[in-house]
Amino acid sequence: MITIDLVLVLLVVVFILVSLSGRLVGISFTLLIGIIALGVFGILTPSEIINGLGNEQVAVVILVLLYSDVLRKTGLVEKSFDRIFRRVKTYRGFISRMVLSVSAFSMVMNNIPLVTELMPYVNSLAKRNHFSPSKFLIPLSYAAILGGSATLIGTTTNLIVNSMIQEQTLISDLKNFNIFDFMWVGVPLVIIGWLYLTGFSQLLLPARKVVTDNLKHGEREYMVEAKVSANSHLIGKTVGEAGLYDIQGLMLISIVRKSFRITEVPTDVVLDRGDTLVFAGETRNIAELITKNSGLVLPEVGMLSKVKRANVSEVVVSQNSSLINKSVRDTDFRGRFDAAIIAVHRNGEEIEGKAGNVILKSGDVLLLFAGENFISRSHDTKDFYFISNITEYIKLDWYKSVILIGGTLLVILLAALNLVPLFMGLLIMLLVSMIFKLSHPREVPVKIDYNLALVIVLSLALGTAMIKSGAAAILAGGLISVFLPFGKAGVLCGIYLLTGVLAATITTKASIALVFPVALSMAQQLGVNAEPLLLAVAYAAACNFVTPQGDVINLIVYGPGGYRKKDFLKIGLPLAFLCMAVTVLILSARYF
């Protein structure tokens, strides 16, 4: 029976599809307009609109992202990658190890911060081994997506589906998914993706010169000196063997050895203890040189390198600064501000030589290695203005690493055994990270993704409206009439295809908001277990390989890889169909 409520809900659905596919406004604002309209016409009550704020799974999404950020900042992932890729030289060897390792990390760490952290590392490693980064960044994104789909906490997609299960009232005995319920399909998807990307990515992906090779994205370039340390693994190696022509994206300008300078450095120069290497590079690349085990030390940093927590930051010297016309050494910068000046940038001028000898001027940009007390000591200063925090450096004691890794695994195990709720486990580990100063209480409000929380709450309200008005039942009936003649596997294919197409055009989160209530209604009308249909929705939304705009992870690598939309279609479409076939086969065998 057609009612006014039904017509209004369908109009809101059409508006959401048009707005998001046409990129008229963002997903949160689009959903907000739709939900307000439904509230104004009385289809949703105020309590139904905000009911998702009390949903435990929404809180779990926020906690997973916060805790993933803690894991990211510790550098444990990158240290593991250094070991994994230490001796890899071939393309297939690199892709094979990258896909497996990224997928494994993505199972226990949310995939968005994981890709953000690893992208510069993969980019630099590819260049160092004379590969185009465009051959690696899409596989990096796909590996994180595949691994994330294998557990509840690996991707926000699975967590959103779980939050909608907790909120629904259509099927009374439907239970939330366990943390490992996604592995039955997720692990085979990782294996299929690994085989596919290892075998075909080199053929299907372009070897394109990336955007960052041609453009300056507003980052400042510095000249910095680094010494070969006494126990460095670089001693006795040639410049070519050490890969120093493009170490972490820096350009080797010269080598200073005792009383003479080697310019236009040949590849066969053998490195010795105490050699000073002069690099040119941008802020983030220099930051990576400082915080990684490169075998090089920056003399200016000195004892600050031993601190447990530090930041690489940029500040600009103010017009009336007391630092003006003083050399860096005479400013007593470390004693006053608990920070070392690594390098100085002066409006494009080349400033070569030791940072300590540079005479500072108004407007100079200083690259700092800042200790824990830098913020408190510089809070009221008029000598400089803070520009940006490039990266955070946390040096973990061995016992902290054990506590962090062991605690994470224990939380996952206890949640899987239903002994301790995931929400409580994550809350405890977040508190532990604060006790051991791996994160700070002041960071929590800043790090919370309020936009994502709003999208989930509004999605829950939209699902309620679609079920209440009968829109979900009508759409479910239409899908059943089309796909049921092909059996229950055909129904799974239908719901997977619908979710996948919507995810590729209007983003994963919006596709779940629209398809979840339809899948729920289909299960009710068919009288079958709703779990396989809802899992199909989750996998189809997560395994979004065909377009860059469909998934935020694809968008992250889109620009830096110099990709075009057709690149995602070319390599992503076959993988999307492979994932659909695997998902439908396993779910059909397990549930039907």
Side-chain angles (χ1 to χ4, degrees), residues 53-364:
L53 292 174
N55 189 301
E56 179 185 326
Q57 297 302 312
V58 176
V60 169
V61 173
I62 294 170
L63 288 175
V64 165
L65 289 172
L66 288 173
Y67 189 62
S68 292
D69 190 65
V70 172
L71 293 175
R72 179 189 62 81
K73 288 191 299 184
T74 61
L76 287 172
V77 176
E78 290 198 26
K79 288 174 185 175
S80 301
F81 265 56
D82 282 332
R83 292 180 179 274
I84 291 168
F85 296 113
R86 187 169 292 171
R87 293 182 177 84
V88 178
K89 296 296 181 184
T90 66
Y91 176 84
R92 286 195 174 183
F94 186 52
I95 282 289
S96 176
R97 295 192 186 195
M98 183 184 75
V99 172
L100 286 177
S101 54
V102 170
S103 296
F105 277 113
S106 190
M107 290 180 187
V108 296
M109 179 180 176
N110 192 269
N111 50 27
I112 296 174
L114 178 65
V115 170
T116 304
E117 179 72 7
L118 288 179
M119 189 173 65
Y121 180 90
V122 172
N123 190 63
S124 297
L125 201 59
K127 287 182 178 180
R128 201 187 314 164
N129 288 282
H130 310 293
F131 294 116
S132 170
S134 62
K135 289 281 189 182
F136 295 92
L137 294 182
I138 281 181
L140 170 66
S141 176
Y142 288 0
I145 289 171
L146 290 165
S149 70
T151 63
L152 175 64
I153 61 175
T155 174
T156 53
T157 302
N158 293 346
L159 289 165
I160 291 171
V161 169
N162 226 28
S163 67
M164 297 190 81
I165 290 174
Q166 183 171 319
E167 199 69 17
Q168 66 83 34
T169 56
L170 191 64
I171 301 176
S172 58
D173 59 344
L174 186 60
K175 296 180 180 178
N176 282 351
F177 288 119
N178 196 295
I179 196 166
F180 290 133
D181 283 346
F182 294 88
M183 296 193 77
W184 292 98
V185 176
V187 171
L189 289 183
V190 169
I191 295 170
I192 291 294
W194 169 61
L195 293 172
Y196 173 77
L197 292 170
T198 303
F200 297 100
S201 61
Q202 189 170 18
L203 176 67
L204 295 174
L205 285 171
R208 195 167 287 138
K209 196 170 186 180
V210 299
V211 176
T212 51
D213 291 338
N214 302 313
L215 300 174
K216 299 288 184 186
H217 291 285
E219 283 207 58
R220 281 157 287 277
E221 189 171 89
Y222 295 87
M223 304 285 286
V224 65
E225 293 187 348
K227 278 193 174 183
V228 177
S229 57
N231 56 351
S232 173
H233 64 272
L234 301 176
I235 297 171
K237 291 184 179 180
T238 66
V239 169
E241 290 170 344
L244 291 179
Y245 271 113
D246 193 17
I247 181 171
Q248 306 298 343
L250 300 171
M251 183 180 294
L252 180 60
I253 303 297
S254 61
I255 297 178
V256 179
R257 178 172 294 169
K258 296 181 180 177
S259 60
F260 62 95
R261 180 183 294 268
I262 305 170
T263 56
E264 298 182 4
V265 184
T267 58
D268 58 353
V269 172
V270 178
L271 297 168
D272 197 5
R273 181 176 59 183
D275 283 352
T276 300
L277 281 60
V278 182
F279 291 98
E282 293 180 350
T283 51
R284 188 164 297 278
N285 298 322
I286 293 174
E288 290 176 2
L289 176 66
I290 298 165
T291 58
K292 293 186 186 304
N293 183 25
S294 60
L296 300 169
V297 295
L298 274 66
E300 292 81 7
V301 173
M303 293 301 293
L304 272 176
S305 63
K306 299 187 182 298
V307 299
K308 303 298 183 183
R309 186 185 182 104
N311 287 283
V312 179
S313 305
E314 283 185 304
V315 299
V316 60
V317 178
S318 62
Q319 189 173 8
N320 300 314
S321 173
S322 64
L323 304 174
I324 295 172
N325 294 327
K326 291 183 180 180
S327 69
V328 169
R329 184 176 292 107
D330 292 337
T331 61
D332 188 28
F333 205 90
R334 187 179 305 174
R336 292 173 63 190
F337 301 112
D338 190 33
I341 299 175
I342 301 164
V344 181
H345 173 89
R346 183 173 294 157
N347 197 27
E349 293 181 30
E350 285 192 8
I351 303 178
E352 200 169 336
K354 293 185 181 297
N357 298 330
V358 176
I359 305 298
L360 297 177
K361 297 181 181 180
S362 172
D364 283 351

Side-chain angles (χ1 to χ4, degrees), residues 448-500:
I448 291 175
D449 192 339
Y450 295 101
N451 185 65
L452 176 59
L454 178 62
V455 167
I456 298 173
V457 170
L458 295 175
S459 298
L460 296 175
L462 179 62
T464 301
M466 290 182 68
I467 291 173
K468 276 182 66 177
S469 65
I474 289 177
L475 294 172
L479 280 174
I480 290 171
S481 64
V482 173
F483 291 101
L484 189 57
F486 302 99
K488 293 176 180 177
V491 173
L492 282 174
C493 277
I495 204 72
Y496 192 105
L497 280 171
L498 176 62
T499 310

Side-chain angles (χ1 to χ4, degrees), residues 364-409:
D364 283 351
V365 179
L366 312 180
L367 188 65
L368 307 177
F369 187 83
E372 291 184 75
N373 300 315
F374 172 68
I375 298 296
S376 60
R377 291 189 187 182
S378 62
H379 181 69
D380 296 322
T381 186
K382 304 297 182 186
D383 286 327
F384 52 80
Y385 302 112
F386 182 82
I387 298 176
S388 62
N389 184 32
I390 307 303
T391 189
E392 188 170 17
Y393 167 71
I394 297 176
K395 189 174 182 180
L396 283 183
D397 295 315
W398 67 269
Y399 68 93
K400 290 183 181 179
S401 299
V402 171
I403 290 171
L404 203 61
I405 296 171
T408 303
L409 296 176

Side-chain angles (χ1 to χ4, degrees), residues 421-470:
L422 183 59
F423 172 80
M424 287 305 303
L426 290 170
L427 207 57
I428 291 168
M429 286 307 300
L430 202 59
L431 179 62
V432 168
S433 72
M434 293 178 190
I435 292 171
F436 287 103
K437 297 183 178 181
L438 301 175
S439 61
H440 196 281
R442 285 197 299 265
E443 296 175 350
V444 173
V446 178
K447 296 289 185 181
I448 291 175
D449 192 339
Y450 295 101
N451 185 65
L452 176 59
L454 178 62
V455 167
I456 298 173
V457 170
L458 295 175
S459 298
L460 296 175
L462 179 62
T464 301
M466 290 182 68
I467 291 173
K468 276 182 66 177
S469 65

